[in-house]
């Protein structure tokens, strides 16, 4: 319900040529907070008070398999929880700890398909939702001095010739 409302919010009126056809988006959100302006989104904001930490308006619509957590891999690909956990733990490398120097990156979609245990046909259904390397990065940095803390969150797009800052927030 919320997804349909978000799409409606972003789209113009249906065209006479295709009143029930594909939705043509005519605008985009300028901030994550703007999602809360859609009335149907209230269910999400009520059920997940820190919902802003789980959404982004930046990206290419694909899930980076080298960054996604197990529950996201499970949801997008339809594999079991155990398969998704194993898929993510492989990335952690020999020390079995995330975000360390020995982490391993998936290098090809064939490697991803095999690691997920999907047939070629099954993988064809989800491969367009996946990517090996997202061009959009989120960096959270918190500094503390004398009991005062400040967090800066920067969203960048390094997919263009010149990396670009998409968002800068300080809390």
């Amino acid at each position: 319900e919320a997804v349909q409302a978000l799409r409606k919010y972003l789209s113009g009126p249906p065209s006479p040529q295709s009143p029930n056809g594909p939705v043509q988006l005519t605008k985009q959100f300028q901030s994550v907070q703007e999602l809360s302006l859609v009335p149907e989104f209230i269910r999400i904001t009520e059920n997940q008070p820190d919902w802003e930490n789980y959404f982004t308006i930046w990206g290419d619509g694909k899930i980076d398999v080298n960054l996604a957590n197990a529950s996201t891999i499970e949801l997008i690909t339809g594999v079991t929880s155990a398969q998704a956990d194993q898929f993510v733990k492989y990335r952690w490398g020999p020390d079995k700890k995330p975000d360390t120097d020995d982490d391993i990156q998936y290098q090809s979609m064939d490697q991803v398909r095999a690691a997920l245990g999907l047939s070629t046909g099954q993988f064809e259904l989800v491969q367009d939702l996946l990517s090996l390397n997202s061009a959009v990065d989120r960096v959270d940095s918190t500094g503390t001095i004398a009991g005062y803390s400040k967090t800066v969150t920067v969203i960048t797009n390094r997919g263009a010739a010149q990396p670009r800052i998409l968002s800068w927030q300080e809390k």
Side-chain angles (χ1 to χ4, degrees), residues 103-117:
D103 287 3
I104 299 168
Q105 297 251 321
Y106 290 100
Q107 299 296 317
S108 72
M109 284 302 186
D110 280 337
Q111 186 184 21
V112 170
R113 183 195 57 73
L116 290 169

Side-chain angles (χ1 to χ4, degrees), residues 118-158:
L118 297 174
S119 70
T120 303
Q122 291 170 317
F123 192 66
E124 284 176 0
L125 297 173
V126 297
Q127 71 182 2
D128 290 340
L129 302 173
L130 306 173
S131 110
L132 294 170
N133 187 358
S134 174
V136 178
D137 291 316
R138 176 186 173 122
V139 178
D140 293 307
S141 179
T142 302
T144 303
I145 187 166
Y148 174 78
S149 291
K150 184 159 214 157
T151 299
V152 176
T153 300
V154 179
I155 311 291
T156 63
N157 183 345
R158 60 182 157 67

Side-chain angles (χ1 to χ4, degrees), residues 9-43:
Y9 180 86
L10 295 175
S11 64
S15 71
Q17 295 83 8
S18 60
N20 296 318
V23 174
Q24 181 65 39
L25 301 181
T26 58
K27 58 184 173 178
Q28 65 185 44
F29 290 111
Q30 299 303 307
S31 71
V32 170
Q33 295 78 14
E34 192 178 343
L35 276 69
S36 67
L37 298 176
V38 178
E40 293 83 353
F41 204 74
I42 191 74
R43 282 186 175 163

Side-chain angles (χ1 to χ4, degrees), residues 65 67-92 106 112 114-118:
V65 296
L67 297 175
N69 62 31
S71 61
T72 300
I73 295 294
E74 179 184 356
L75 176 69
I76 298 297
T77 65
V79 299
T80 67
S81 178
Q83 287 172 296
D85 284 341
Q86 186 62 36
F87 180 84
V88 170
K89 286 179 180 173
Y90 169 80
R91 293 188 327 223
W92 296 352
Y106 290 100
V112 170
L116 290 169
L118 297 174

